[in-house]
């Protein structure tokens, strides 16, 4: 019975490319030409923030200048896409509430990009969104990514491990120091989730990493709340020169 319903659904809604809407055979979500236009990150990357680096990965730990100058409060970070071109429109659709179906393939790209980060008994936690923004957008895109990532990796996802205590203003256009100040004290561990976090490795999930200020606050909160190692996985990374 279920099989028949599934087949019927596929006949009415054949898989379409998330980039252009054309029919596609691929269950990875993109047609061939959109796939080629989407800037997936590959090759050598900064182990801390996931930004692509020139040269080739040779097995030694490499970091970008920023991460060497100001070490991140987490162990390793990865990102699936560069926040550019087609990736930008995909992420905006996901962020603004009209693309929840993007989350499943996006989480699959993240699972690939983050394959070196996964640890046994790791807890996946999204960067929290304030409830007032949640009302406007209908869902927290990072929580959606975390849930799909949990399903794909078999790791536990906890959508409300971290919460926003105050509504933080939009961070665009502020300097890194201003962002940090704004975020200070805005994020906290959910009091009822504290026990769940003790001694465990945490994978923080977000849609886009720009300076990493929000992720820094989240990582600090997790560390202060008794977590073990923190890792960071985002769908997209803003390259420094954009
Ligand atoms: Zn396409
Ligand atoms: Zn870096």
């Amino acid at each position: 019975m279920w099989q028949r319903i599934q087949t019927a659904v596929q006949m009415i809604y054949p898989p379409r490319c998330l980039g252009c809407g054309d029919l596609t055979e691929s269950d990875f979500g993109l047609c061939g030409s959109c796939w080629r236009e989407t800037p997936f990150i590959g090759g050598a990357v900064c182990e801390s923030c996931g930004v692509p680096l020139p040269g080739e990965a040779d097995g030694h730990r490499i970091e970008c200048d920023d991460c060497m100058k100001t070490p991140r409060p987490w162990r390793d970070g990865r990102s699936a896409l560069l926040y550019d071109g087609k990736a930008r429109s995909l992420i905006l659709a996901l962020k603004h509430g009209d693309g929840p179906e993007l989350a499943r393939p996006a989480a699959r790209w993240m699972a690939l990009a983050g394959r070196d980060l996964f640890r046994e008994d790791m807890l996946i936690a999204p960067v929290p969104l304030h409830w007032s923004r949640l009302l406007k957008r209908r869902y927290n895109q990072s929580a959606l990514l975390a849930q799909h990532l949990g399903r794909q990796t078999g790791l536990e996802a906890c959508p409300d491990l971290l919460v926003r205590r105050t509504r933080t203003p939009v961070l665009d256009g502020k300097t890194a120091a201003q962002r940090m100040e704004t975020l200070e004290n805005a994020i906290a561990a959910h009091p009822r989730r504290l026990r769940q976090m003790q001694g465990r490795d945490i994978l923080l999930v977000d849609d886009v990493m720009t300076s990493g200020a929000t992720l820094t606050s989240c990582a600090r909160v997790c560390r202060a709340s008794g977590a073990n190692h923190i890792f960071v996985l985002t769908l997209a990374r803003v390259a420094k020169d954009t």
Side-chain angles (χ1 to χ4, degrees):
M1 180 64 181
W2 177 242
Q3 193 64 43
R4 280 222 309 268
I5 294 172
Q6 286 283 77
T7 313
V9 165
Q10 271 169 11
M11 276 162 69
I12 305 166
Y13 303 108
R16 286 188 180 274
C17 171
L18 299 166
C20 65
D22 277 358
L23 293 177
T24 173
E25 298 284 285
S26 145
D27 61 346
F28 227 49
L30 293 172
C31 73
S33 82
C34 287
W35 177 265
R36 280 187 296 276
E37 283 170 39
T38 304
F40 285 92
I41 294 176
V45 295
C46 168
E47 305 264 356
S48 289
C49 74
V51 83
L53 291 175
E56 274 178 34
D58 61 357
H60 291 98
R61 187 182 181 85
I62 44 171
E63 285 188 321
C64 70
D65 294 345
D66 284 5
C67 290
M68 284 204 289
K69 211 165 15 170
T70 317
R72 308 278 180 181
W74 59 77
R75 199 163 237 222
D76 294 324
R78 294 290 187 280
S79 212
L81 308 167
L82 269 186
Y83 189 63
D84 203 8
K86 201 127 235 162
R88 194 189 289 249
S89 46
L90 289 173
I91 285 151
L92 287 176
L94 182 65
K95 208 185 195 87
H96 295 297
D98 22 68
E101 74 281 359
L102 290 170
R104 200 162 60 99
R108 216 178 291 174
W109 306 337
M110 290 167 78
L112 265 176
R115 60 194 177 278
D116 295 338
L117 307 183
F118 304 124
R119 302 286 188 274
E120 205 182 322
D121 197 37
M122 191 175 228
L123 190 58
I124 303 178
V127 165
L129 196 70
H130 191 263
W131 65 267
S132 57
R133 289 227 171 109
L134 204 55
L135 283 181
K136 216 163 66 185
R137 289 186 191 162
R138 296 179 298 152
Y139 60 86
N140 174 1
Q141 71 279 5
S142 303
L144 211 55
L145 291 172
Q147 276 162 345
H148 282 290
L149 208 51
R151 263 174 237 154
Q152 279 166 30
T153 57
L155 296 167
E156 186 186 353
C158 183
D160 60 351
L161 189 74
L162 301 173
V163 290
R164 294 247 186 201
R165 282 202 290 223
T166 52
R167 180 171 183 176
T168 46
V170 175
L171 295 172
D172 299 339
K174 295 197 171 176
T175 66
Q178 283 171 326
R179 282 167 183 243
M180 201 61 81
E181 201 185 302
T182 312
L183 288 164
E184 195 113 342
N185 297 320
I187 292 164
H190 194 302
R192 263 177 293 171
R193 300 295 187 201
L194 276 172
R195 239 186 31 197
Q196 215 170 331
M197 210 188 309
Q198 298 314 302
R200 286 175 77 177
D201 290 340
I202 310 283
L203 181 71
L204 292 172
V205 166
D206 207 357
D207 54 348
V208 183
M209 172 173 172
T210 307
S211 68
T214 317
L215 286 160
T216 294
S217 304
C218 291
R220 286 194 180 140
V221 167
C222 288
R223 291 273 292 272
S225 308
N228 188 31
H229 296 300
I230 319 294
F231 298 82
V232 163
L233 182 56
T234 61
L235 176 54
R237 177 80 172 93
V238 177
K240 271 150 212 166
D241 53 351
T242 54

